Amino acid sequence: MTIASITLYRQWQPFRDGTYTCSGGRSAEGFDSTIVEITSHDGAKGYGEMAPLGSFYDPAFAEGARAAMRELAPRLIGEDAAGIESLNRRMDLLLKGHPYAKAGIDMALWDLAGKRGGLSLAAMAGGAEGTAIPLYRSLAQESPDAMAARARKYIAEGYHRLQVKVGLDVNDDIARLETVRAAVPSGTVLFCDANGSWGTAETRRFLQATRALDYTLEQPCGS
Amino acid sequence: MTIASITLYRQWQPFRDGTYTCSGGRSAEGFDSTIVEITSHDGAKGYGEMAPLGSFYDPAFAEGARAAMRELAPRLIGEDAAGIESLNRRMDLLLKGHPYAKAGIDMALWDLAGKRGGLSLAAMAGGAEGTAIPLYRSLAQESPDAMAARARKYIAEGYHRLQVKVGLDVNDDIARLETVRAAVPSGTVLFCDANGSWGTAETRRFLQATRALDYTLEQPCGS
Amino acid sequence: MTIASITLYRQWQPFRDGTYTCSGGRSAEGFDSTIVEITSHDGAKGYGEMAPLGSFYDPAFAEGARAAMRELAPRLIGEDAAGIESLNRRMDLLLKGHPYAKAGIDMALWDLAGKRGGLSLAAMAGGAEGTAIPLYRSLAQESPDAMAARARKYIAEGYHRLQVKVGLDVNDDIARLETVRAAVPSGTVLFCDANGSWGTAETRRFLQATRALDYTLEQPCGS
Amino acid sequence: MTIASITLYRQWQPFRDGTYTCSGGRSAEGFDSTIVEITSHDGAKGYGEMAPLGSFYDPAFAEGARAAMRELAPRLIGEDAAGIESLNRRMDLLLKGHPYAKAGIDMALWDLAGKRGGLSLAAMAGGAEGTAIPLYRSLAQESPDAMAARARKYIAEGYHRLQVKVGLDVNDDIARLETVRAAVPSGTVLFCDANGSWGTAETRRFLQATRALDYTLEQPCGS
Amino acid sequence: MTIASITLYRQWQPFRDGTYTCSGGRSAEGFDSTIVEITSHDGAKGYGEMAPLGSFYDPAFAEGARAAMRELAPRLIGEDAAGIESLNRRMDLLLKGHPYAKAGIDMALWDLAGKRGGLSLAAMAGGAEGTAIPLYRSLAQESPDAMAARARKYIAEGYHRLQVKVGLDVNDDIARLETVRAAVPSGTVLFCDANGSWGTAETRRFLQATRALDYTLEQPCGS
Amino acid sequence: MTIASITLYRQWQPFRDGTYTCSGGRSAEGFDSTIVEITSHDGAKGYGEMAPLGSFYDPAFAEGARAAMRELAPRLIGEDAAGIESLNRRMDLLLKGHPYAKAGIDMALWDLAGKRGGLSLAAMAGGAEGTAIPLYRSLAQESPDAMAARARKYIAEGYHRLQVKVGLDVNDDIARLETVRAAVPSGTVLFCDANGSWGTAETRRFLQATRALDYTLEQPCGS
Amino acid sequence: MTIASITLYRQWQPFRDGTYTCSGGRSAEGFDSTIVEITSHDGAKGYGEMAPLGSFYDPAFAEGARAAMRELAPRLIGEDAAGIESLNRRMDLLLKGHPYAKAGIDMALWDLAGKRGGLSLAAMAGGAEGTAIPLYRSLAQESPDAMAARARKYIAEGYHRLQVKVGLDVNDDIARLETVRAAVPSGTVLFCDANGSWGTAETRRFLQATRALDYTLEQPCGS
Amino acid sequence: MTIASITLYRQWQPFRDGTYTCSGGRSAEGFDSTIVEITSHDGAKGYGEMAPLGSFYDPAFAEGARAAMRELAPRLIGEDAAGIESLNRRMDLLLKGHPYAKAGIDMALWDLAGKRGGLSLAAMAGGAEGTAIPLYRSLAQESPDAMAARARKYIAEGYHRLQVKVGLDVNDDIARLETVRAAVPSGTVLFCDANGSWGTAETRRFLQATRALDYTLEQPCGS
């Protein structure tokens, strides 16, 4: 079962709620997704995807991923599609790093192998665990009251997990968490995400001030 | 696809060359193997195996493994055979430790999943690497000359990898390795295995004395 | 004084209060005990015991222990029963690991040596410390109020040490400990046992929330 | 002095000696270079370059770098060209990682600043050290004798620094270094480069076998 | 562009508020500054400065710095003023340590290079960040109330950053910080500086007692 | 079984070969031994011994040990002789440190317990290993030839383990070991003891110079 | 100036307040002191002292110290009394360890050297710091109220430093410290000494419970 | 006994053999010594000295030391000369660092204290060890043969310790040590001093090449 062709599709996936604004004047309006389609010589097809959130969160930006795939794809044509580990080693030899680009191809290879055996990807990896996973909503940085109002709205819609965006002035951030925590039921799971915007001093103050609250802190300090 | 039944088969696999003798008066005449057969409700069958080398090398002795499987198997009947990770967690909950016994069942579950999709175990794990692997022969502890003669015989039969058993008097062991190394072509890969019989002092002496030779040392000191 | 025979007795020891239920749907109704009897050539007898709590707590399950003893016992007949250290080394050579099985035999050998000299096991190990030890009772997971009621009952019966079983939802677990701690005299020694059911996040929350209480936490996180 | 425009030029720089072959079937025929030209509003121009060796050595492949620059460049137009540190922080905010792409722009900014002051880049960084640097030649992997012959040729041409490419079979690699070392004057500086092709075992053997020779080992093990 | 001459100017810079008193009976009335002027053969001039706070804070005392410059300066005449890194290495060769004295010369060399290119020192180092920096005022050790009064005066003058001098009796020091913190707006940034006067015990007590306040502690323990 | 009395006997044990001379002008002519006799209320007796080599090797000097025993013994009369662990804790409470003195009493208590049960000390500790142990002889510091002659004499008498005393001039010490090693069969086990007389520099030199020889180095550097 | 004689004097120094009782049934009624007198050939005399608190606190018990001095003293007669470092090395050679015994002799040697020069011991060591040192009183373990009463009595007598003896039941110990701390002025320095009687669990509880109090904890856990 | 005056004397101490040349074009012709004389109110005088080797070896250059002493000396007049530790703390308070300058004053204070008691500095520190110390000669960097000739000359004059100056081209340095080592008796103690002129690569090569020789390496790498 050799690889007959690899096709990349670019797909724009706009956000349902429009522009999403982060700290530092960064914003995004949707996902610039790349769909990878691998076709084997017998016509079977496997699909993978690579869809970064804007270009500011991590090294995986959309054009770079497509550039890497364009570099890699022609050198995989004619290889055995079932040798997935071997193909990954080959990709590493051709291009160091850029795992986000290789992941889209790897995903399509596993999908192709599963389809050929009539197995889902979950079955290939040891079986699915349940039939659903809980979703969560993110509360963008607004005033504490505005964030609490939005939190109550999400709770009313049935969400039980919320992410509180912080990372500006730490005194305001403390108020953000306190206000939201007080606005939601005690069973609600709260994450607090600073996207690495604080230094260690701000982080220490935030932890001290909020140590009586029930939440989990995500990425307080940038690298 | 639920598990309809689990059957254990005991199979005696005698050594081609008869009794195999180790240090400490330990010996074995073959493998006391346990074959695990898992049948799903639709009649598909997957197979696994558990076959320890005698009862003196590691905690995986044959009767203990069968005792553990007898404890575990009845509690897996009726479960979804495709939920392999979930079944493994269940086995860990029922019985801590004894991974050698659980491995036989795990192996049969993967085999069953692959057969249902018409995929080999290698395909399930990312593809086979080549179609053959080099074998090696082990040289039991004899006099240096006897071991060298046996090494030459194996080389003549086509083997390129030999394991030199050491672990008694370290002066003799040094002679064993030197004599065998001199008797085989420089391209022959030599392993030297003490099965943990030395202390650190013997190990240090052996390494000093043989540091000009080309070989790899396996398990010099016992735990 | 050589070992003339080793006999294993299986003894079912039902719990006085019937079924004992743990988290994860695991339960037990008693101890599946193995009594080891070693008889020396002059007719003296020493006794040891191996009695795991169900088959879900640790690697020491009853059938596996008996399988190991059946493997070991025949190879000890005729050996000097006084050479206890030597016999232990021999058991380690015959079978790696499985210390729970060997412990039953080791215990019987020491008992035999002591009986021959008219000495108790305590005397063999340096003398007894006092003539009694305080017992404790375990409070299985129920509602906080039910556990507190049971705690008061045990206190009334004269117990001064109680174990509070936790390990489900951590918010409920906090209530369990707080309610029991409030229900018993300040001199009561409390252990809180999660049987490794929490992750580090739950453990951290529990410790924070209960840091003003007087208790000792046992095995919060599984390995 | 704001940035008026950023222009990328692609320049193919063929190797003087044609195809360059590495281990693993990897080869290159030249540098796929990107020249960055930054023009300030007053017409001054600064230049930087990004030129990876093929696409197999490191994460810096040519198309990926150009994709990143296309992402970054439009967002720098109109900014103050003298605020180089500030512009670098801005690039890091826009795109995490990919330092090789940003380096081309950073280089052009420093060149632009220096030209405006009539200073060379060396003067901007604290002054040049001398007026020339010794060059070295790399000896691609051939037979030991062929490599020694080529080494003598380079010595005759006036080179005093040579790089010996190794990284295949370690026995052959030892011969490569020994033969070249013997073929050149004792004052010749030798580097030995395995490009990360060995594991720790091969590295240890190589170091042991060549410990009497005068050379420096570069990148023996891959990451 | 060689160095034609190096001239040192001593300049007394009296404090605007007169004598400044520290703990331990140490005081100062101004800065005993040394201005370094380097003139190149073409008449260009660069300036650096070395101005320690009294003679009790660090190893950089004014006479010692001048002594070191007198040692170094004659040996730099005639050298290339653009080779700044090279000149620094030369100074290190001539005199180990005493970086504060060399810094004055280094500063003058960079200033000279920038002036020759019409660039400010900020431009030489990658561009200026903004056009102003916030100043802070230091509150010398007085009674808590006196320090709070002074703090309010500085706030009224427009300062937003204050340094609270502590380091005598730790009980009084705690009162100093508490009183000042209560006297200023919550947005005021407070530093608390003990100038290394405490031991670890005093530091621990201070930190415990003030852990609810918003401030940063500077140099609690002496080396 | 209470302790009725403790009696100390001083016994002079002269060396068979007369004065034994060490480095530093230290010498000894025999052991100044203390025999401890503990009698229980039923007349049984247990014996222990404390016999330091001169007064210069370690903190266990004879008079100090007797002084400690005189301090301890009266406080043990009337206690239960079988509570050995308890008696040891009591001795630690009465007097910190001085384990050599307590060891004589501890030994007598175990002997007493064993005698009461008709068990040897070996049986109390898990059984004897064999019926003999190899002895070794020590070669005092003389000229290399004299030491080699004495080594041959001991080999002829049947010894297989020798200790070579070193610790003076390291060049002479190297010759001592080389000469003795060459004078004895390869199967002879050699220890080399410097009694802590070297510093790290001498030790390093000795190890470098003798790294091809088969021996074990004891206590090269003093504390 | 050679050592002409060394004389030991035993001096009983009874406690002013009679028997002093510690935990574990240990008590003392005074110091069993040893005074060391060293006389030089010219009749000058130097004095040292060794006075342990009972025999239960540390390895320095009185009879052992005298035994060690009796071992050492005869071997120092005739040596140069001014060679103090040399004499200390000699004592270490003659007898390892037992620093408390050697300290008495060392002290007498320094006193002798100082007297010969008309200098006090303080002057020999760099000068005295002030003319007095603050004393403290120890509060033996009684009920919390009794200890507080005694603390007030000592404060009234002029003491500013008190030591609170703890180390029995940790709940009582917490009350002891709390009650005493509340009974004395805030300027009183409190030490809390457990004499190593707690384990780590008791220590942790004590520290948690008293973390708001001002005191220093001494030796909580035994070694 | 207060300090009445402190006087500094500058004394030029020319080298007996004229100019001394080091690597890097550094040279010296003698010691620029500062003698410190402290006079107490009763007319007693104590002397100290500070004499750096040129100005290139360490931070202790002569003019800087005199500058520091001029800063310190006036502030010590009238203080108690016997409070040496107190005076050192005061000097540290007045000026951080510069221990070489303070050492001259400290030395004079100890000398003054000793003289007042009629004791030498050695007696103040615990007694002199012997009456002489072995001197060594330094071999400046010349050709290997010239250095060997000079070494033989020094041996003939009675020296037993020589220092071999290295630190230029490492191949030549290896020859220097080999040639000198071969030219002197085996009992000669050799030091090899690179004055920090090598990097780690040169140091490694030197150590490898000379590992069979008897010498001690001093300061191979600069800080």
Side-chain angles (χ1 to χ4, degrees), chain F residues 33-77:
Chain F
S33 169
T34 305
I35 307 289
V36 182
E37 179 189 74
I38 298 182
T39 309
S40 65
H41 73 287
D42 57 2
K45 288 176 190 301
Y47 292 92
E49 182 185 26
M50 190 275 161
L53 177 52
S55 60
F56 42 71
Y57 258 23
D58 55 61
F61 70 106
E63 259 320 309
R66 283 189 286 264
M69 291 179 194
R70 280 194 297 264
E71 194 89 22
L72 296 168
R75 290 172 170 86
L76 305 181
I77 304 299

Side-chain angles (χ1 to χ4, degrees), chain E residues 4-209:
Chain E
S5 67
I6 301 179
T7 311
L8 306 184
Y9 297 93
R10 182 172 182 181
Q11 182 185 54
W12 177 247
Q13 302 170 347
F15 292 150
R16 176 179 171 180
D17 295 343
T19 301
Y20 179 88
T21 306
C22 278
S23 61
R26 301 174 290 185
S27 65
E29 315 218 342
F31 290 108
D32 181 3
S33 169
T34 306
I35 307 289
V36 181
E37 181 189 73
I38 298 183
T39 309
S40 66
H41 73 289
D42 56 2
K45 288 177 190 302
Y47 291 92
E49 182 183 25
M50 191 274 162
L53 176 53
S55 60
F56 41 71
Y57 257 26
D58 56 60
F61 70 108
E63 259 321 309
R66 283 189 286 265
M69 291 179 195
R70 282 195 296 265
E71 194 87 26
L72 296 168
R75 292 171 169 86
L76 305 179
I77 304 298
E79 300 290 331
D80 178 13
I84 302 179
E85 292 302 315
S86 174
L87 287 166
N88 271 288
R89 278 203 303 278
R90 180 161 185 76
M91 291 196 282
D92 285 342
L93 193 67
L94 290 165
L95 177 64
K96 291 228 169 141
H98 302 281
Y100 51 91
K102 297 167 186 168
I105 295 173
D106 178 68
M107 208 185 298
L109 288 168
W110 280 102
D111 184 51
L112 178 59
K115 280 192 175 139
R116 190 162 157 271
L119 297 174
S120 67
L121 272 179
M124 295 289 283
E129 302 282 336
T131 58
I133 58 167
L135 294 178
Y136 78 92
R137 294 299 300 254
S138 178
L139 303 171
Q141 281 182 321
E142 296 177 288
S143 72
D145 288 339
M147 292 174 82
R150 190 177 296 269
R152 275 187 296 263
K153 171 169 169 293
Y154 288 148
I155 295 293
E157 293 174 9
Y159 291 95
H160 296 302
R161 290 162 179 258
L162 300 174
Q163 189 193 49
V164 181
K165 285 284 178 190
V166 294
L168 295 177
D169 179 89
V170 77
N171 291 308
D172 298 342
D173 287 336
I174 292 166
R176 283 187 180 93
L177 179 61
E178 287 172 342
T179 311
V180 171
R181 181 71 273 180
V184 297
S186 70
T188 304
V189 177
L190 283 193
F191 298 89
C192 195
D193 185 9
N195 286 123
S197 303
W198 293 329
T200 50
E202 285 84 3
T203 302
R204 186 177 55 80
R205 279 210 56 217
F206 189 88
L207 286 168
Q208 279 286 103

